[in-house]
Amino acid sequence: MRRAGIRDVADLAGVSISSVSNALNRPDAVSEQLRTRVRAAADQLGYVPLRAAQQLRAGRSGLIGMTVISIGNPFFAEMLEGAEEATSAAGYQVMLGNSDDSVQRESSYLELFELAHVEGVIVSPFGDVTPALSRLRAQQIPVTLVDGIDEQGLTPSVSLDNVQGGRMAVRHLVEIGRRRLAFVGAREEVRQTRDRLRGAASFAEQAGVPLDITIGRRTTPRLGSEIGARLAAMPAHERPDAVFAANDLLACGIVHGLLAAGLRVPDDVAVVGYDDIPFASIAAVPLTSVRQPARAMGRRAGEMLVALLRGETQQPPPTEVFSAELVVRASTVG
C-alpha cells in the first residue's frame, strides 16, 4: 500500500490541501472544528507529514553530512559520536558516509551530500578532497575537517600532531632497549600514515637504529595477523624486536599472529599501536598505544561547523591541533 499523502487527507476531510496544511502546521490559523476534522482524517489514514520536505520548503534540511575513513575502526565510530553530540545539541542530524578506504566512495558521498541539500559537512579525509571542498564552498555549504588539514588554509580543521605521535612511539621502543624496529602501515598516500611514519623515521634516524617499513593496502586485523605470522617465521637474529603499527587494529592483529606462532609479546617482540581504541586496554595482551582523543576531536569539529552555520566566521579559519599521548601497557613493558 502506498503512503497516504496530504491530498488523501484533504479528500477524506472534504477540505482543501491548504486547509489541511494550516490545520497541521499553523493550527491557530483555523477553527477548532476544522482542526478536529483534519486530525481525524489524518489519524484514520495513518498520515505522517514529511518533515524533510517541510524543512526544504522552509529553506533548510536540518542535515549534516559526515564522511569517515572506516566505520569499522572504533576510532572513527567514537569521532562520529563526538560530532553528533555537538551537532544534535544544535538541532541537526548527521547523515554518515563511510569511505571504507576508497577515494571513489568518498567522492560519491560528498556529491550525495550536495544533492541531499545538507546544511553543512564534516570530512575526515581519505583522499585529496580539495576539489570537493571547493564545490561545497561554491554552494555556500560550510565544511570542517577532522583528522585532516586543508593545505589551502580555507577550511576549519581539527587534527592530531601525527608526526609527534610517531616520534613518541619509536622513542618509547628505543628507551626500553629495542634496537631492530619495524613500522607497519597502509596506504602511504594517506596523510595520517605518512606523518606517523615521518615521525617514527626521524626519531629512529636520530637514535641510530634501523626501521624496516611494511606498507599494506588496508589497516585491518587480518593484515596485522598475516604480518605477525611472517615476522614470527623469520630467524630470531633478523626479526625486529619491536613493531610500531599505524593503528590499533593492525597492532592487535600483529600481536595475534605473533602469539599464534608461539612467540611472546613483549619478550620476543614489543608492539605499539595508534589510536588507543577501547579494545586496546582489554586485549589478550593489553596494548601500548598512542592515544588520539577521538570523541573530543569529533565534538570540536562539530562545534566549529555549528559556529559556521550560525554565521560566526573567523579569518583565517581556525586550525586546532591536539597533542598525542602515549599510553604504556603490557605489549611493550610486560
Side-chain angles (χ1 to χ4, degrees):
M1 295 179 63
R2 70 177 182 87
R3 183 193 298 268
I6 191 170
R7 182 178 295 279
D8 300 310
V9 177
D11 290 344
L12 182 60
V15 299
S16 67
I17 291 176
S18 61
S19 294
V20 174
S21 179
N22 285 332
L24 296 177
N25 300 309
R26 293 177 295 278
D28 293 340
V30 300
S31 67
E32 183 177 352
Q33 181 182 12
L34 179 59
R35 286 200 304 270
T36 301
R37 202 155 119 200
V38 168
R39 286 174 180 164
D43 290 343
Q44 183 177 334
L45 294 170
Y47 171 71
V48 178
L50 292 175
R51 297 297 179 192
Q54 293 173 345
Q55 288 176 318
L56 284 174
R57 284 196 293 271
R60 64 184 303 269
S61 67
L63 294 175
I64 298 296
M66 181 172 181
T67 65
V68 298
I69 293 177
S70 173
I71 198 63
N73 185 334
F75 168 76
F76 293 106
E78 285 194 87
M79 180 187 291
L80 170 64
E81 289 175 355
E84 283 186 319
E85 286 176 9
T87 54
S88 65
Y92 296 95
Q93 293 180 305
V94 174
M95 176 190 296
L96 176 65
N98 177 28
S99 301
D100 198 29
D101 290 350
S102 166
V103 172
Q104 290 74 25
R105 281 174 64 105
E106 180 175 64
S107 178
S108 295
Y109 275 119
L110 292 174
E111 290 178 9
L112 173 63
F113 293 159
E114 291 182 62
L115 296 173
H117 301 283
V118 298
E119 295 192 47
V121 177
I122 302 172
V123 181
S124 178
F126 178 69
D128 179 12
V129 294
T130 303
L133 297 182
S134 298
R135 288 197 309 272
L136 291 166
R137 281 193 294 267
Q139 298 283 338
Q140 296 187 321
I141 300 174
V143 187
T144 59
L145 296 178
V146 59
D147 197 29
I149 299 172
D150 179 9
E151 298 284 1
Q152 297 180 319
L154 301 175
T155 308
S157 65
V158 179
S159 61
L160 187 93
D161 188 341
N162 283 298
V163 175
Q164 175 205 27
R167 286 182 59 85
M168 193 176 288
V170 171
R171 179 196 294 271
H172 171 65
L173 293 172
V174 170
E175 287 178 347
I176 62 173
R178 305 301 167 129
R179 290 297 179 268
R180 297 189 306 277
L181 309 185
F183 173 86
V184 178
R187 304 300 293 264
E188 198 170 358
E189 68 269 28
V190 177
R191 169 186 281 275
Q192 295 91 321
T193 300
R194 290 200 312 270
D195 285 352
R196 291 167 199 178
L197 175 56
R198 185 153 59 95
S202 68
F203 192 87
E205 182 179 7
Q206 177 184 329
V209 297
L211 180 69
D212 184 59
I213 300 170
T214 298
I215 301 294
R217 292 297 299 167
R218 302 192 66 179
T219 51
T220 62
R222 174 171 293 185
L223 174 63
S225 184
E226 292 171 359
I227 291 172
R230 291 206 300 266
L231 293 174
M234 296 173 65
H237 67 280
E238 295 179 5
R239 181 192 308 126
D241 59 7
V243 178
F244 169 38
N247 75 10
D248 285 348
L249 296 183
L250 268 176
C252 288
I254 289 168
V255 171
H256 175 269
L258 292 169
L259 295 177
L263 267 64
R264 299 165 299 168
V265 177
D267 302 64
D268 298 312
V269 183
V271 180
V272 176
Y274 207 102
D275 292 338
D276 195 32
I277 61 176
F279 181 71
S281 63
I282 57 171
V285 180
L287 185 66
T288 294
S289 184
V290 178
R291 174 177 291 166
Q292 292 200 83
R295 186 183 293 268
M297 290 168 65
R299 185 186 306 114
R300 188 70 190 103
E303 290 169 350
M304 285 181 174
L305 185 63
V306 169
L308 288 175
L309 290 165
R310 290 173 173 168
E312 303 168 11
T313 58
Q314 297 182 45
Q315 292 300 330
T319 299
E320 191 161 329
V321 181
F322 283 72
S323 296
E325 176 189 355
L326 183 72
V327 182
V328 178
R329 299 191 182 97
S331 68
T332 57
V333 297

